[in-house]
Amino acid sequence: MNQHSTLWIYYSHSEFSCEPIRLRMCQDLPYNTTFMPNLLNHYDQQTAALAMEPFHPMVNLVCSADLRMFLCALYAPVCTVYGQVSMPCRSLCQRAKDECHKLMEIFGVAWPDDMECSRFPDCDEPYPRPEDLLTGSDPTDQSSMTVQRDYGFWCPRELKVDPDLGYTFMGRKDCSAPCPSMFFNQQELTSIRYVIGVISIVCLSATLFTFLTFLIDVTRFRYPERPIIFYAVCYVMVSLVFFLGFLLEDRVACNAVSPSQFRASTITQGSHNKVCTLFFMVLYFFTMAGSVWWVILTITWFLAAVPKWGSEAIEKKALLFHAIAWGLPGALTVTLLALNKIEGDGISGVCFIGLYDIDALRWFVLAPLCFNVAVGVSLLLVGIVALNRVRMEIPLEKENQTKLVKFMIRMGVFSVLYLVPLLTVIGCYLYEHTYRNIWETTWMEENCKDYHIPCPFKVEQTSRPAMVIFLIKYLMMLVVGIPSVFWVGSKKTCFEWANFLHGRRRKDGVNESRQVLQEQPDFAQSLLREPNTPVIRKSRGTSTQGTSTHASSTHLAVLDDLDEPASSIHSKASYHSSLRRPRDDRSDTMVYRGVEERSFHGSMPHLDHPLSTHSSLHQIEGHSRHSSQQDVSEAPPTLITHGTTVSESRVAENDGTSA
């Protein structure tokens, strides 16, 4: 044999130790020692024996005299000089394949790709060679031949999957994690699943109640509150998927056991499982969409509190809000489907990402959630500071002060109830991200002998995941949707449901939170106004429905001055109505009429008679006109009628007259 062929026959191998041959097919050979891992990367002889089983019929029928020796040269190669391996010649492989391929077709056995003859050196020599036998080692003396090193993770036969599925586990292709869990026992899994089932029902009930309350009165929750409804819809779907996972247990997240192929139950990966793919799409899409809708909620609060946008002005941006809230999660979901990153969760029974793939967890779960939290908290703090400055620096009526404080408290409590669970979930994901490699090494050390794979070498730190951390993670993933019911939890909601259940139509009302936000004065106006100048409240954009704050202040002024002359009452009413920006003629008419009737009823008992009312109104107009002409002879008479809105020029004249 020339030197060139020798270079092909021998190659360096430093991951073996010599041991006696225990394979039944390879007994009574010219050599009795072998090494593992063998040439086909079987770590031990038990795994090699399982891989040789399909060839037993051909060997027993002796389809070729070279087949048995060729198989043993691969599955149990001769243990030769330390650091060198002897490979069979290509001619030996070709004879065995040509003589046995017809019989192999009858038994339905295909020639494996890793046994292709082109992979072996081009020579024509028997196996083992004479020099291999001369340098054989004593199997009882393994200390000098054993290499102590870390082999890494070898995928056990029980966890191998079909190559076309594209599975990956701990860096090994065509391998998947054991199902239902590689870290928790059955009792722990049962406890976690029941907690998930109960909390999913609670979250589903709370978010569904929020959405149904919105359907009863769709005009009640307008912007800036409207994103809370879509946020609730997102978590209706999230809680529904978790509830279905609780009912199905691990039937969707796990592949079935295959005893005939020596395969255990493994975690589902990729999109070949249609139900698992559907679970992932719904769960991931609506989880991310719910987070984006919370950010949009803080944006609408910011627009209402700082630049003083009205409800209709914000609503004009609704199409943009929907495009962002549904478009971005949709793009991320499609990207993950294309990358085939779906993973089954044997604990909860659903499918998600980042359960075993750290990179997917980092870039597609942690990064979007952290970004949304940072943006949302920033806008939330700016909005709260803005409303607080309004409350502290600008004199408001006592009723509006109370409403503003109440709204700030509701906004703050709702945000805390959302942020605390979400930050807890992010903390749990960071915990998994940090300790995942240590958990996997510990699992290898505890199960390497059972799976017949290399055990880790020089393990410095071992750790198992805490069940309570995973329990908290699943708990907070569902609790984060429950705060939506906090926003609709009020007496008005109870009245609306009572009217709905009794078939009564609702009455139009005013949303206090939106009214308070829109009726506060602008910062520019508050900072530039002169001392003792009345503050004119306005809302940016188109005006919203509801009674103006100054209408209520006019009401209070008239009630306080019941004992004053009619001309004085009339002048104060004209002054306040001149400051008030016209909103809804019908609402203004009702307020003014109620004030007028209530004022005159206290001083004139027979005012309710039609003729008396008519004459009284003429008398009051006469007194008012007479007193106004005495004060300012040049000013035109002021005319006040029910439900009548004067022009801006008349408002200015009335202001001068009243002053």
Side-chain angles (χ1 to χ4, degrees), residues 419-479:
L419 286 174
V420 169
L422 181 61
L423 292 176
T424 304
V425 171
I426 293 176
C428 293
Y429 280 135
L430 291 174
Y431 173 72
E432 291 186 46
H433 182 274
T434 303
Y435 292 98
R436 169 67 66 174
N437 292 332
I438 299 176
W439 297 342
E440 292 175 347
T441 303
T442 304
W443 175 81
M444 284 177 55
E445 187 176 38
E446 295 175 351
N447 297 274
C448 60
K449 295 182 179 179
D450 296 333
Y451 282 121
H452 303 285
I453 59 175
C455 293
F457 179 65
K458 292 183 179 180
V459 178
E460 298 179 355
Q461 182 180 0
T462 59
S463 175
R464 294 178 58 86
M467 185 192 74
V468 66
I469 300 297
F470 278 76
L471 183 62
I472 292 175
K473 181 186 77 170
Y474 292 113
L475 185 68
M476 293 297 113
M477 288 179 69
L478 291 166
V479 169

Side-chain angles (χ1 to χ4, degrees), residues 152-154 168-173 175-177 182 269 356 437 439-441 443-444:
F153 174 68
W154 289 55
T168 302
F169 175 54
M170 294 177 62
R172 296 292 180 177
K173 295 182 179 180
C175 190
S176 186
M182 58 189 292
Q269 296 183 30
Y356 300 93
N437 292 332
W439 297 342
E440 292 175 347
T441 303
W443 175 81
M444 284 177 55

Side-chain angles (χ1 to χ4, degrees), residues 107-402:
F107 283 95
V109 179
W111 193 266
D113 293 337
D114 51 6
M115 290 172 51
E116 281 298 324
C117 298
S118 59
R119 300 181 56 185
F120 304 109
D122 186 9
C123 60
D124 188 8
E125 295 181 351
Y127 189 88
R129 299 170 184 79
E131 55 269 27
D132 299 334
L133 299 176
L134 293 176
T135 56
S137 62
D138 185 3
T140 59
D141 184 15
Q142 300 183 18
S143 58
S144 60
M145 298 297 297
T146 301
V147 178
Q148 297 293 332
R149 55 162 295 177
D150 188 3
Y151 296 140
F153 174 68
W154 289 55
C155 185
R157 180 184 180 88
E158 294 85 349
L159 303 182
K160 286 185 175 293
V161 296
D162 296 335
D164 56 342
L165 295 178
Y167 282 23
T168 302
F169 175 54
M170 294 177 62
R172 296 292 180 177
K173 295 182 179 180
D174 306 328
C175 190
S176 186
C179 198
S181 176
M182 58 189 292
F183 301 126
F184 304 116
N185 55 42
Q186 191 60 43
Q187 183 179 1
E188 293 172 331
L189 290 176
T190 303
S191 301
I192 297 176
R193 284 173 179 169
Y194 275 105
V195 172
I196 293 175
V198 172
I199 299 301
S200 63
I201 294 175
V202 174
C203 181
L204 180 61
S205 303
T207 52
L208 194 59
F209 175 78
T210 303
F211 181 60
L212 294 178
T213 302
F214 165 73
L215 293 182
I216 291 176
D217 183 5
V218 294
T219 62
R220 176 182 171 187
F221 299 100
R222 299 176 64 190
Y223 288 94
E225 301 100 329
R226 182 65 63 84
I228 296 178
I229 305 302
F230 302 115
Y231 164 84
V233 171
C234 291
Y235 279 93
V236 166
M237 303 304 298
V238 170
S239 56
L240 181 61
V241 171
F242 273 107
F243 180 67
L244 293 176
F246 164 72
L247 296 179
L248 297 174
E249 295 182 340
D250 57 4
R251 287 190 284 273
V252 174
C254 299
N255 297 316
V257 180
S258 179
S260 60
Q261 299 180 347
F262 304 98
R263 292 179 180 175
S265 179
T266 55
I267 291 293
T268 299
Q269 296 183 30
S271 57
H272 68 93
N273 188 326
K274 304 306 179 186
V275 180
C276 182
T277 303
L278 180 62
F279 275 15
F280 157 74
M281 292 175 63
V282 175
L283 183 57
Y284 182 80
F285 174 80
F286 283 104
T287 298
M288 292 296 121
S291 179
V292 176
W293 272 118
W294 180 78
V295 175
I296 293 177
L297 179 64
T298 61
I299 293 175
T300 58
W301 279 340
F302 174 82
L303 294 177
V306 180
K308 303 301 300 173
W309 283 29
S311 178
E312 288 81 358
I314 300 176
E315 195 167 357
K316 290 180 180 179
K317 305 295 181 181
L319 184 60
L320 177 62
F321 294 154
H322 282 276
I324 295 174
W326 306 121
L328 293 180
L332 290 175
T333 303
V334 172
T335 302
L336 289 170
L337 287 173
L339 295 176
N340 211 31
K341 294 292 185 179
I342 305 173
E343 296 172 343
D345 186 0
I347 300 176
S348 63
V350 301
C351 294
F352 203 60
I353 65 163
L355 303 170
Y356 300 93
D357 189 342
I358 298 298
D359 292 333
L361 175 64
R362 181 187 303 120
W363 298 111
F364 290 95
V365 178
L366 282 174
L369 291 180
C370 292
F371 177 78
N372 290 342
V373 168
V375 174
V377 170
S378 301
L379 294 174
L380 181 67
L381 293 178
V382 172
I384 291 178
V385 170
L387 292 180
N388 189 62
R389 288 185 61 186
V390 169
R391 186 180 66 88
M392 298 296 294
E393 297 182 4
I394 302 175
L396 300 176
E397 299 170 5
K398 183 176 181 181
E399 181 183 359
N400 280 349
Q401 282 276 7
T402 304

